[in-house]
Amino acid sequence: MHNLTRTLPFDEFVTRASRTVQTDFFICKEEKYYLRSLGDDPRKDVADIATQFTELAEDIWIPQLFPQERIFSSVFRIASAGIHLWTHYDIMDNLLIQVNGRKRVVLFRPSDALYLYLSGDKSAVLNIDEPDLTKYPLFTQAVKHVCYLEPGDILFIPALWFHNVLSLDFGVAVNVFWKHLEDKFYDPRDTYGNKDLVPAARALQISERAIKALQEMPEEYCDFFARQLVSRIQTKCYASSSN
């Protein structure tokens, strides 16, 4: 197998990302390009457009909707037309600032999680326009909220709202994430801002142990006590508006 990793000068990357057909390609003429900025040391530093793209940052206006000290990261993105980011959620509120090009953003309420066939923070339903309803029958119950972003538009995406993003044109955008909860809820080792809140991660680990314990019993007992557990979680933890 050939190594397909390539390092490109920034200007060449932008040129390639802006084309719909490549004259000098690595894989195929229709190959697409995507950039998501990282911190200087991705293991320790968060993305900060003011640090990694200083001159570009001067042209970006970020609405002051939250205290400056609560900003977690500002992520610079470049995408070819046709780049499609799968349905996922973030644990922080964020602004999607569309600088250039157009995007389609499809959002789903957090309460639609039961219909999105989640694997971690992502939905297994990759094609939301023509889903495989034999494989994902409950997806029809998820309600789409669709919006189209033009250059200069800003979309507020609340924490836990699922979103699916399609680049309709070559585009440049910036995401600004901020912490709206106390610091204790966030994993201090998370430089991407996509790890579940600390109590949630702990609860999910406990649930895995609970599932293993239930599966030690015969099927009818496993089913019976699993339903009890689900009922208890619904009673104790579901928001009344989600019932």
Side-chain angles (χ1 to χ4, degrees), residues 145-189:
H145 302 269
V146 183
C147 66
Y148 292 88
L149 298 184
E150 301 282 344
D153 286 345
I154 299 176
L155 176 65
F156 170 60
I157 304 177
L160 306 182
W161 274 69
F162 298 93
H163 45 287
N164 179 292
V165 183
L166 173 64
S167 295
L168 302 175
D169 307 315
F170 161 72
V172 176
V174 176
N175 274 115
V176 180
F177 295 87
W178 69 93
K179 296 180 178 180
H180 58 288
L181 302 176
E182 296 178 57
D183 286 341
K184 67 179 182 180
F185 289 110
Y186 302 102
D187 187 333
R189 299 164 297 179

Side-chain angles (χ1 to χ4, degrees), residues 207-220:
S207 72
E208 288 299 320
R209 294 199 297 270
I211 290 170
K212 289 181 180 179
L214 290 169
Q215 290 174 335
E216 294 175 5
M217 296 182 287
E219 183 178 6
E220 65 270 25

Side-chain angles (χ1 to χ4, degrees), residues 2 4 10 20 46 94 142 192 227 230 239:
H2 297 290
L4 298 179
F10 185 69
T20 54
V46 301
N94 84 87
Y192 287 83
R227 291 176 187 275
V230 170

